[in-house]
């Protein structure tokens, strides 16, 4: 009886696209015994379902091997290159230019384990942990992400992707943000120092609860 694969399994077409960009085997020594497709399936299963590495089902390679490749590819920038490759393909398939001209920035505070290297307390969200500040295009595709202490303010968090990504994403003519990133002096400082023009998208005073805001809802969807 053939066992049905998990929903996170890579299709043949997806694997053909990703396989040339995975880490090649080291020269010399014994031939690689592990299937890189099985390793990728194990990584994507964990990311989709949120289990611990030690709890990977036994039909995947040993968790130590899967985790080792995940860490190695992270350090070598392979995940970044894959993200860039797939984003360009998706934008071209949608009839858009490969380089975006507009984007949106937002942050999300999340709780972390006690062993986290950098964590703090978000006074606004009342969350102790870390904060993710992300930059996306108008399709919600990830351009940049910075993970930092939740104790950093929104202004401090935005400076991190601006500092490291402004030269890479100088194609962005406008970036939409919410009111927590506002302040005329701060907006002017970011534009003068990093070349990013930020525009605040506010909701009306009579709106209550969560509201999908025009031009900014894509970044909210990416977080979800």
């Amino acid at each position: 009886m053939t066992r049905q694969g998990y929903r996170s399994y890579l299709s043949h077409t997806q694997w053909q696209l990703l396989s040339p960009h995975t880490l090649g085997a080291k020269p010399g020594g014994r031939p690689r015994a592990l299937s890189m497709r099985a390793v990728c399936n194990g990584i994507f299963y964990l990311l989709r379902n949120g289990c611990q590495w030690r709890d990977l089902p036994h039909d995947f390679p040993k968790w130590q091997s899967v985790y080792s490749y995940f860490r190695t590819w992270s350090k070598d920038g392979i995940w970044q290159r894959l993200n860039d490759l797939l984003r360009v393909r998706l934008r071209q398939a949608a009839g858009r230019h490969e380089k975006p001209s507009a984007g949106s920035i937002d942050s999300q505070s999340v709780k972390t384990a006690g062993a986290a290297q950098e964590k703090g307390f978000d006074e606004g969200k009342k969350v102790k942990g870390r904060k993710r500040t992300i930059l996306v295009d108008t399709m919600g595709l990830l351009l940049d992400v910075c993970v930092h202490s939740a104790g950093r303010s929104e202004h401090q968090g935005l400076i991190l992707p601006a500092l490291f990504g402004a030269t890479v994403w100088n194609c962005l003519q406008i970036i939409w943000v919410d009111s927590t990133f506002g302040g005329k002096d701060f907006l002017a400082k970011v534009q003068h120092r990093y070349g990013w023009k930020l525009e605040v998208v506010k909701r009306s005073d009579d709106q209550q609860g969560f509201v999908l805001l025009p031009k900014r809802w894509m970044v909210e969807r990416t977080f979800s």
Side-chain angles (χ1 to χ4, degrees):
M1 179 178 178
T2 302
R3 183 172 181 177
Q4 185 176 2
Y6 299 105
R7 290 190 300 164
S8 56
Y9 270 19
L10 291 168
S11 68
H12 178 72
T13 302
Q14 291 170 336
W15 176 241
Q16 290 296 107
L17 176 62
L18 297 185
S19 59
H21 304 278
T22 58
L23 192 65
K26 295 180 180 179
R30 293 181 298 176
R32 173 183 279 166
L34 281 178
S35 163
M36 290 298 97
R37 184 171 179 175
V39 169
C40 287
N41 282 334
I43 293 172
F44 295 144
Y45 175 90
L46 181 140
L47 295 176
R48 184 181 183 93
N49 295 282
C51 68
Q52 296 183 4
W53 289 103
R54 294 174 183 272
D55 292 332
L56 275 178
H58 296 298
D59 41 359
F60 292 114
K62 292 182 178 180
W63 72 266
Q64 295 94 330
S65 299
V66 178
Y67 175 73
S68 176
Y69 277 105
F70 174 78
R71 288 287 295 166
T72 300
W73 293 347
S74 297
K75 293 178 180 179
D76 289 350
I78 288 180
W79 297 121
Q80 178 70 51
R81 293 196 292 273
L82 287 175
N83 181 71
D84 293 341
L85 169 70
L86 296 175
R87 182 185 58 252
V88 168
R89 285 177 174 259
L90 286 171
R91 288 186 59 85
Q92 291 175 336
R96 297 170 180 263
H97 192 278
E98 65 178 56
K99 292 186 177 182
S101 60
S104 184
I105 283 181
D106 204 355
S107 67
Q108 181 186 57
S109 295
V110 294
K111 296 181 180 179
T112 56
Q117 292 183 346
E118 183 182 5
K119 59 182 179 180
F121 186 72
D122 184 339
E123 292 286 352
K125 304 292 179 59
K126 306 302 180 185
V127 172
K128 184 177 182 180
R130 285 181 286 186
K131 186 179 289 187
R132 301 180 287 219
T133 299
I134 67 172
L135 170 65
V136 302
D137 66 6
T138 53
M139 296 178 64
L141 303 176
L142 192 64
L143 303 179
D144 203 353
V145 57
C146 288
V147 181
H148 50 88
S149 165
R152 286 179 178 266
S153 67
E154 304 289 52
H155 287 187
Q156 292 171 335
L158 186 146
I159 290 299
L160 293 176
L163 179 64
F164 296 106
T167 55
V168 177
W169 300 114
N170 56 10
C171 54
L172 295 174
Q173 299 174 16
I174 189 170
I175 300 175
W176 294 295
V177 297
D178 66 18
S179 57
T180 59
F181 292 92
K184 292 183 178 180
D185 291 342
F186 178 72
L187 300 181
K189 172 185 175 182
V190 172
Q191 184 168 7
H192 173 73
R193 182 171 298 180
Y194 305 105
W196 279 355
K197 180 181 178 181
L198 305 181
E199 180 178 302
V200 178
V201 179
K202 297 182 179 180
R203 66 179 183 179
S204 61
D205 295 335
D206 58 345
Q207 291 177 318
Q208 301 294 327
F210 177 75
V211 179
L212 287 178
L213 297 176
K215 302 177 181 178
R216 287 200 60 255
W217 69 274
M218 279 295 187
V219 70
E220 302 288 356
R221 189 183 70 175
T222 300
F223 273 131
S224 69

